[in-house]
Amino acid sequence: MRKIYFLLFFLFISFASLAQVVSEKEHLIVMQLTDGDTDVHKKFIRQLNNIMTAAPNAKIEVVTQGMGIDLLKTQQNPYEKELGLLVNKGVQFVICENTLRQREMKKDQFLTLAGFVPSAILEIVMKQEAGWIYIKAGD
Amino acid sequence: MRKIYFLLFFLFISFASLAQVVSEKEHLIVMQLTDGDTDVHKKFIRQLNNIMTAAPNAKIEVVTQGMGIDLLKTQQNPYEKELGLLVNKGVQFVICENTLRQREMKKDQFLTLAGFVPSAILEIVMKQEAGWIYIKAGD
Amino acid sequence: MRKIYFLLFFLFISFASLAQVVSEKEHLIVMQLTDGDTDVHKKFIRQLNNIMTAAPNAKIEVVTQGMGIDLLKTQQNPYEKELGLLVNKGVQFVICENTLRQREMKKDQFLTLAGFVPSAILEIVMKQEAGWIYIKAGD
């Protein structure tokens, strides 16, 4: 009898956690972040977590440019831990080198989890050409 | 003679209304709305009407998330009638359930013409994977 | 000996200028501009130049609508010369006729380098259907 209760409990837990999974497929998603606002960043991190819950096998590349690169700066970054957890779930973060030059910032001002691309726009273009799906983040 | 005037008048009217049709094809368009501003909503509704005039056989799915879901709320919605007319023309409106949870809102606070999707982003991703064309609405 | 210095200098220069070229391919990019802010326009023009440097064989069509069409107005346009240079590099600029009607503006209020499309959204949709890659400009 106990075994059955255990089994039912196990099934319930499985169902509860599966309930939010919408797709088991490997979706390839490239997201563009241009906004430097901390509130926008907070919502964006929540959104990334929501996507990885709904589609646990998705791969997301977040391409930051303009003020959006502030999401990944080392100094006073309230989201460092959460960004690390997202990397473990399959999210990659990259920074636009054109923006670095323009804003006169250096690579060592950014979290080591972040990568770099020469041109944010061209990165998004080439990812789409390779079949990735584009989403513009922020309001 | 009167018949000819009538015919010319009829042809003129037909031409005038046809003049704005750009494409007779069935275009599949998925539009993302994240903005809660009433002025943005007003422009957006005008834009949806413009698209359906230019491409009367288009199918549009409007995916709302964040503050964008306010476009579809029941209370004090100045656009209820226009939204209904757009549905008749082939526009579908859906609301992100992740946003509902986050903003602690319930499905019965929204117009019955609106549908629901578990995750706005994943909906837009899957629509694009199925060949729909993505447009981000708002400024 | 002098020849070698010259050769080394030439190689250095070539490398320095090549360093920024990311792709020699012909990328087809359709960019949507809805924002009327002059600062946004300034950043956008810089961005267009960055893309054409990174991908010199790219073709870009900039579709302006709403307040975004102000980028191309004749009167007090600080970017007229830069826009002309961009056209020479392979960038095309078009204006939405729906916006013209809505804002009660006339075609002769815009730079002659700009073209016109009946509907901005439908233009972007049809370009994407023809294989062009979509990027939403602005923040």
Side-chain angles (χ1 to χ4, degrees):
Chain A
M1 197 60 185
R2 251 194 159 166
K3 269 186 187 167
I4 287 169
Y5 280 130
F6 182 76
L7 195 69
L8 283 173
F9 177 74
F10 182 76
L11 279 170
F12 173 76
I13 290 294
S14 306
F15 184 76
S17 64
L18 275 173
Q20 289 179 82
V21 175
V22 178
S23 164
E24 300 279 1
K25 275 186 60 187
E26 188 200 56
H27 303 278
L28 303 175
I29 309 168
V30 58
M31 298 186 82
Q32 178 188 21
L33 182 72
T34 58
D35 202 313
D37 185 76
T38 331
D39 276 347
V40 171
H41 291 176
K42 194 179 172 179
K43 281 193 221 169
F44 182 53
I45 285 171
R46 196 197 305 135
Q47 201 172 57
L48 290 172
N49 278 306
N50 282 340
I51 301 168
M52 295 314 296
T53 303
N57 299 313
K59 283 200 170 50
I60 302 177
E61 180 170 294
V62 176
V63 181
T64 65
Q65 69 183 131
M67 299 308 288
I69 69 173
D70 287 354
L71 175 74
L72 301 165
K73 64 182 182 190
T74 312
Q75 224 177 4
Q76 290 178 314
N77 190 329
Y79 307 122
E80 185 172 353
K81 201 186 154 190
E82 293 186 71
L83 292 167
L85 294 172
L86 279 165
V87 169
N88 292 340
K89 288 182 188 174
V91 183
Q92 267 190 294
F93 297 90
V94 297
I95 292 166
C96 177
E97 292 177 4
N98 279 328
T99 300
L100 288 189
R101 247 190 311 278
Q102 173 57 31
R103 294 183 56 190
E104 297 180 358
M105 296 177 83
K106 294 209 181 324
K107 290 187 179 180
D108 62 14
Q109 293 175 261
F110 295 90
L111 300 174
T112 52
L113 61 82
F116 297 89
V117 293
S119 156
I121 300 291
L122 200 59
E123 172 70 12
I124 297 166
V125 167
M126 293 191 299
K127 276 275 180 291
Q128 286 193 70
E129 287 170 348
W132 290 56
I133 300 295
Y134 168 62
I135 302 278
K136 170 97 183 237
D139 288 338
Chain B
M1 197 63 189
R2 248 192 159 167
K3 268 186 188 166
I4 286 169
Y5 281 130
F6 181 77
L7 196 69
L8 283 172
F9 176 75
F10 182 77
L11 279 169
F12 173 77
I13 291 295
S14 306
F15 183 76
S17 62
L18 274 173
Q20 290 180 80
V21 175
V22 179
S23 164
E24 299 280 0
K25 275 184 59 187
E26 188 200 57
H27 302 279
L28 304 175
I29 309 169
V30 57
M31 299 187 80
Q32 178 188 21
L33 182 73
T34 58
D35 202 313
D37 185 76
T38 331
D39 276 347
V40 171
H41 291 176
K42 194 180 172 179
K43 281 192 221 169
F44 182 53
I45 285 171
R46 195 198 306 133
Q47 201 170 60
L48 290 172
N49 279 306
N50 282 340
I51 302 168
M52 295 313 297
T53 302
N57 300 312
K59 283 199 169 52
I60 303 177
E61 180 171 294
V62 175
V63 180
T64 65
Q65 70 183 128
M67 300 309 286
I69 69 173
D70 288 354
L71 175 74
L72 300 165
K73 65 183 182 189
T74 312
Q75 225 177 2
Q76 290 178 315
N77 191 327
Y79 307 121
E80 184 171 353
K81 200 186 155 189
E82 294 185 72
L83 292 167
L85 292 173
L86 280 165
V87 169
N88 293 340
K89 288 182 188 173
V91 183
Q92 266 191 294
F93 297 90
V94 298
I95 292 166
C96 177
E97 292 177 4
N98 279 330
T99 299
L100 288 189
R101 249 191 310 277
Q102 173 57 30
R103 294 183 56 190
E104 298 180 357
M105 296 175 85
K106 294 211 182 320
K107 290 188 180 181
D108 62 14
Q109 293 176 260
F110 295 90
L111 299 174
T112 51
L113 61 82
F116 297 89
V117 292
S119 156
I121 300 290
L122 200 58
E123 173 69 11
I124 297 166
V125 168
M126 292 191 300
K127 275 277 179 290
Q128 286 193 72
E129 287 170 348
W132 290 55
I133 300 295
Y134 168 62
I135 302 278
K136 169 96 184 239
D139 289 337
Chain C
M1 196 61 188
R2 252 197 156 162
K3 269 186 185 164
I4 287 170
Y5 281 130
F6 181 77
L7 196 70
L8 282 173
F9 176 75
F10 182 75
L11 278 169
F12 172 76
I13 291 294
S14 305
F15 184 77
S17 63
L18 274 172
Q20 290 180 80
V21 175
V22 179
S23 164
E24 300 279 0
K25 275 185 59 189
E26 188 199 58
H27 302 278
L28 304 174
I29 309 169
V30 57
M31 297 186 81
Q32 178 188 20
L33 182 72
T34 58
D35 202 314
D37 186 75
T38 330
D39 276 347
V40 171
H41 291 176
K42 194 179 173 180
K43 280 193 221 168
F44 182 53
I45 285 171
R46 195 197 305 133
Q47 202 170 59
L48 290 171
N49 278 306
N50 282 340
I51 301 168
M52 294 314 295
T53 302
N57 299 312
K59 283 201 169 51
I60 303 177
E61 180 171 295
V62 176
V63 181
T64 65
Q65 68 183 132
M67 300 309 287
I69 70 173
D70 287 354
L71 174 74
L72 300 165
K73 65 183 181 190
T74 312
Q75 224 178 2
Q76 290 179 314
N77 191 328
Y79 307 122
E80 185 173 352
K81 201 186 154 190
E82 293 185 72
L83 292 167
L85 294 172
L86 280 165
V87 169
N88 292 340
K89 289 183 187 173
V91 183
Q92 266 190 295
F93 296 90
V94 298
I95 292 167
C96 177
E97 292 177 4
N98 280 328
T99 299
L100 287 189
R101 247 190 311 277
Q102 173 58 30
R103 293 183 56 191
E104 297 179 359
M105 296 175 84
K106 293 210 181 324
K107 290 187 180 182
D108 63 14
Q109 293 175 262
F110 295 90
L111 300 174
T112 52
L113 61 81
F116 297 89
V117 293
S119 156
I121 300 291
L122 199 58
E123 173 69 12
I124 298 166
V125 167
M126 293 190 301
K127 275 276 179 291
Q128 287 193 71
E129 288 171 348
W132 290 55
I133 301 295
Y134 168 62
I135 301 278
K136 169 97 183 238
D139 288 338

